[in-house]
Amino acid sequence: MLVVDRLIKKHQTRDPFQITSDLGYIIISCPLYNVRGFYQYMKRNHIIYLDESLSCEDARFVCAHELGHSLLHRGANRIFMDSRTFMVGSKYEREADLFASCLLVDDRELVDLAYCGLTIDQISNELSIPKTCVEARLLK
């Protein structure tokens, strides 16, 4: 994913927390109950909310996912789309998941695990990324 490659090159890291910090984003960890995280742009501030009960691995993925929304879907309001339109927001979610998995895991690492004979489920568990992202990246 070209946008991810540019981001990694510019910031010299795959760490979504470091990248969001470099970009001046605000990260808020708070109880979100049935939501793992969401992104908001308000008064010229980029804000990522993360559920405080997430594990470190899950928080890292969700932060990367929400960073993906902020860069790929600027101006899209998922809550509005879900509640007030007939648009399908799942496309945006898949794109943000793929962005996050590309940011967090190098292609070589993914391929190496596949060559070692691990199943897609095992690779997903090993890398803490969704199975759908592993499948999409291995099949591209």
Side-chain angles (χ1 to χ4, degrees):
M1 196 174 235
L2 189 57
V3 67
V4 172
D5 295 338
R6 288 181 185 157
L7 204 59
I8 293 167
K9 184 175 182 180
K10 179 179 180 181
H11 296 278
Q12 297 294 299
T13 185
R14 291 181 171 276
D15 181 0
F17 291 107
Q18 183 61 53
I19 294 169
T20 54
S21 175
D22 291 351
L23 293 172
Y25 283 40
I26 299 166
I27 305 290
I28 297 174
S29 181
C30 59
L32 295 178
Y33 308 101
N34 292 327
V35 177
R36 292 166 37 104
F38 66 94
Y39 165 75
Q40 179 181 42
Y41 182 74
M42 185 174 68
K43 297 183 180 179
R44 291 193 233 172
N45 291 300
H46 296 274
I47 307 166
I48 293 175
Y49 296 86
L50 301 173
D51 185 68
E52 66 184 10
S53 68
L54 294 173
S55 68
C56 291
E57 295 85 14
D58 286 344
R60 191 168 183 255
F61 185 84
V62 173
C63 182
H65 173 99
E66 298 307 332
L67 176 61
H69 279 306
S70 77
L71 298 174
L72 301 173
H73 310 131
R74 213 164 274 236
N77 183 333
R78 175 67 196 271
I79 296 168
F80 177 80
M81 286 190 305
D82 284 349
S83 63
R84 307 272 194 237
T85 73
F86 295 109
M87 292 181 68
V88 177
S90 60
K91 174 186 175 211
Y92 292 121
E93 294 305 311
R94 283 192 310 273
E95 288 174 353
D97 276 351
L98 186 58
F99 174 95
S101 75
C102 289
L103 177 63
L104 297 173
V105 179
D106 182 77
D107 284 342
R108 288 173 299 222
E109 184 179 2
L110 190 65
V111 170
D112 286 347
L113 291 172
Y115 278 129
C116 288
L118 271 66
T119 66
I120 289 176
D121 284 330
Q122 290 169 324
I123 295 170
S124 173
N125 289 334
E126 176 74 23
L127 299 175
S128 298
I129 61 174
K131 179 180 168 183
T132 55
C133 294
V134 173
E135 290 170 336
R137 290 183 60 197
L138 288 175
L139 296 175
K140 69 176 182 175

